[in-house]
Amino acid sequence: MTEADVSLIQRTFAAQQATALRWRLSTLAERKARLTRLRDAMMAQREAFYTAFAADYRKSPAEVEASEFLPVMDEIRHALGSLKRWMKPRGHWPTSTMLGTRASVQYQPRGRVLIIAPWNYPLSLCFGPLVSALAAGNTAMIKPSEMTPAVSALMARIIADIFPPEEVALFEGSQPTAQALLDLPFDHIFFTGSPAVGKLVMAAAARHLSSVTLELGGKSPTIVDASANLTLAAETLMWGKFLNNGQTCVAPDHVYVHASVKSAFVEACRNVLQQRYGADGSARLNNPDLTRIVNRRHTERVAGLLTDALQRGAVLSTGGLTDLDQCYVAPTLLEDIPADAHIMSEEIFGPLLPIIAYDDIDQVIASINAAPKPLALYVWSTHKEQIRKIVAQTSSGGVCVNHCVAHFAHGNLPFGGVNNSGIGSAHGEYGFKAMSHERAVLRATPLMLIKLFFPPYTAARQRLIRLVVDTLRLPKL
């Protein structure tokens, strides 16, 4: 992998400063034009993206459309339709002590934004944040993943064709290129990746007091209780888990299933996998709808988790076939997994799904709360009180009830993690605000009540101030 020229990175960063200052005054029409250019350039390269994704990890055109194009197109469409409202300053009524003033919040571009994107959804998770950055009026420097070189190269050509580098620039490379970028004092950093790397990014941002949006990961649990619609749960979870062959930050990591319905749930999952991917290992290996693991190193890691679990006594329910040369791991269901198996503590990020029986929901909630806060939590139930209890007593970046993964695509919801699974929110207006400084603007009116608090503090003035404080006391509960 050839690294980007550090001096070029530094010159581009310096050149973007003048643009960022100028873009503070960018109009609605100018921002919409930039988004439209990006949209049209993507669509013009649609077939080329099919080829690039097939080269990088044999992703089918249908998955390219559904999981790469669709989220970005929806993000652009949403921004084009809502940007006028998002950009408009918002007035606020004065609080009791601020009578005699007028206040508003203005949304000002942060300035120069760095976007570091991952390999699992290299287009969606690169251009998606770019939409928010451009909508908010920022310049951007982008570092895509070196693990998907064909897609990264195509994105680089698109960016170079439609933006001069002093507006938007993309730099290909690996860790040294990322480090050269992180050494610069960006106004905001948007990073998508693992919690371990996220800590390094946050440490780098701290050196310059740069604001951050960190979209990380973790082990997102699923609960299927005795009242759940097992057929629908199996159909949906087998989609959410094996989309992109499990290489999804919000994929169900493991499933807690009530013991009374566990056998029926596992059988329903087996049936879904057979219908979608084939009846045997050979059919699934050759199924064009199954994306490959991104490279051999990651294939070995996922295969190692499977081998470790089986050696420790886990039961293979279906799947289990691996082919390192083809970067292939079959969709695999595991049962009776020992607590000390590595798959129970490490983020899987692959097509392995542990299924765990439970009897007491309180123990499941305790297990979830004992682990780092996940990016997502999925609950399958028709019992309203049970759903309320689980949602209220757990913490996660997002929750889906009788669904999974789909909250990522809901443009009116904040997408992000909490603590170990991320910091900040993205998508839609939340992404616009993350890339903006919410600037408080207060204006005086002729009614300058603040003069009542000016010295000299005579006895009468002190009594007046004391009276004001007393009126603000909370009533007794």
Side-chain angles (χ1 to χ4, degrees), residues 24 26-28 31-32 79 81-92 103-109 135-136 429 432-433 436-439 441 443:
R24 283 183 185 171
S26 58
T27 64
L28 172 65
R31 297 187 191 186
K32 281 187 170 183
S82 306
L83 192 50
K84 182 178 180 179
R85 174 173 57 83
W86 295 348
M87 290 175 64
K88 185 178 180 180
R90 300 185 184 182
H92 292 272
S104 65
V105 173
Q106 295 181 351
Y107 296 92
Q108 189 176 60
E429 187 172 10
F432 171 84
K433 287 185 175 181
S436 302
H437 169 54
E438 296 182 75
R439 194 181 194 188
V441 179
R443 293 180 172 87

Side-chain angles (χ1 to χ4, degrees), residues 52-352:
F53 274 100
D56 280 338
Y57 55 129
R58 219 191 79 168
K59 195 166 188 171
S60 71
E63 278 203 3
V64 173
E65 290 285 346
S67 65
E68 302 283 358
F69 268 80
L70 189 151
V72 180
M73 290 296 113
D74 190 47
E75 195 78 42
I76 294 174
R77 180 185 177 90
H78 190 188
L80 291 174
S82 306
L83 192 50
K84 182 178 180 179
R85 174 173 57 83
W86 295 348
M87 290 175 64
K88 185 178 180 180
R90 300 185 184 182
H92 292 272
W93 288 101
T95 55
S96 301
T97 55
M98 285 292 105
L99 293 173
T101 64
R102 290 187 292 120
S104 65
V105 173
Q106 295 181 351
Y107 296 92
Q108 189 176 60
R110 289 193 179 273
R112 291 173 289 183
V113 171
L114 171 62
I115 298 169
I116 301 179
W119 52 263
N120 57 324
Y121 292 93
L123 175 59
S124 173
L125 297 179
C126 182
F127 282 5
L130 178 60
V131 172
S132 295
L134 294 174
N138 300 285
T139 67
M141 293 173 68
I142 305 166
K143 199 296 214 180
S145 174
E146 70 278 11
M147 295 187 194
T148 49
V151 174
S152 294
L154 179 53
M155 291 192 298
R157 292 197 296 274
I158 288 174
I159 293 298
D161 285 344
I162 62 175
F163 294 109
E166 62 269 20
E167 294 181 357
V168 181
L170 186 149
F171 293 95
E172 296 178 83
S174 58
Q175 193 276 332
T177 297
Q179 188 59 58
L181 289 161
L182 287 170
D183 286 339
L184 299 172
F186 281 92
D187 298 293
H188 188 77
I189 299 173
F190 192 109
F191 169 79
T192 306
S194 69
V197 180
K199 293 175 182 178
L200 300 177
V201 172
M202 193 168 184
R207 292 198 296 271
H208 306 293
L209 295 180
S210 303
S211 57
V212 297
T213 302
L214 303 179
E215 289 191 3
L216 308 179
K219 296 179 71 63
S220 297
T222 299
I223 299 172
V224 179
D225 77 5
S227 73
N229 180 329
L230 299 182
T231 300
L232 184 60
E235 290 175 347
T236 311
L237 288 169
M238 294 303 96
W239 163 74
K241 176 62 181 180
F242 298 112
L243 174 71
N244 207 35
N245 211 7
Q247 300 167 110
T248 304
C249 58
V250 289
D253 184 89
H254 51 285
V255 184
Y256 296 101
V257 186
H258 194 274
S260 65
V261 297
K262 177 172 174 279
S263 295
F265 173 75
V266 171
E267 184 61 27
C269 291
R270 285 199 201 99
N271 290 337
V272 171
L273 292 178
Q274 181 172 331
Q275 293 164 10
R276 291 181 185 171
Y277 302 122
D280 56 34
S282 176
R284 295 179 187 183
L285 175 64
N286 295 295
N287 191 299
D289 294 334
L290 273 173
T291 301
R292 291 297 188 249
I293 305 298
V294 69
N295 57 32
R296 186 183 180 97
R297 179 170 64 86
H298 279 274
T299 308
E300 290 172 348
R301 181 190 61 81
V302 175
L305 291 176
L306 174 60
T307 299
D308 173 77
L310 294 175
Q311 289 177 344
R312 294 174 189 270
V315 174
L316 183 67
S317 179
T318 191
L321 178 64
T322 63
D323 187 325
L324 299 181
D325 292 332
Q326 295 196 47
C327 295
Y328 175 80
V329 177
T332 299
L333 306 180
L334 295 167
E335 301 179 64
D336 301 332
I337 305 98
D340 62 349
H342 293 164
I343 200 171
M344 299 306 296
S345 58
E346 296 181 19
E347 184 176 5
I348 299 170
F349 223 69
L352 311 178

Side-chain angles (χ1 to χ4, degrees), residues 453 460-472:
F453 296 88
R461 184 151 295 183
Q462 183 174 335
R463 285 195 300 271
L464 177 61
I465 297 172
R466 184 183 177 97
L467 177 62
V468 172
V469 173
D470 286 344
T471 62
L472 296 175

Side-chain angles (χ1 to χ4, degrees), residues 195 216-222 249-254 256 347 365 367-378 393-399 407 415-423:
L216 308 179
K219 296 179 71 63
S220 297
T222 299
C249 58
V250 289
D253 184 89
H254 51 285
Y256 296 101
E347 184 176 5
I365 291 172
S367 296
I368 293 172
N369 287 336
K373 296 173 184 176
L375 186 55
L377 171 69
Y378 305 123
Q393 294 186 15
T394 59
S395 177
S396 63
V399 179
H407 64 298
F415 179 79
V418 54
N419 297 129
N420 190 73
S421 55
I423 295 173

Side-chain angles (χ1 to χ4, degrees), residues 353-431:
L353 184 63
I355 299 175
I356 306 157
Y358 79 90
D359 293 300
D360 184 353
I361 191 62
D362 290 328
Q363 292 181 356
V364 173
I365 291 172
S367 296
I368 293 172
N369 287 336
K373 296 173 184 176
L375 186 55
L377 171 69
Y378 305 123
V379 182
W380 288 83
S381 174
T382 58
H383 195 291
K384 292 182 180 179
E385 286 302 319
Q386 181 94 304
I387 295 169
R388 276 195 286 266
K389 176 177 180 176
I390 294 169
V391 173
Q393 294 186 15
T394 59
S395 177
S396 63
V399 179
C400 288
V401 177
N402 295 325
H403 214 320
C404 72
V405 176
H407 64 298
F408 175 88
H410 197 306
N412 287 324
L413 287 177
F415 179 79
V418 54
N419 297 129
N420 190 73
S421 55
I423 295 173
S425 297
H427 300 177
E429 187 172 10
Y430 299 95

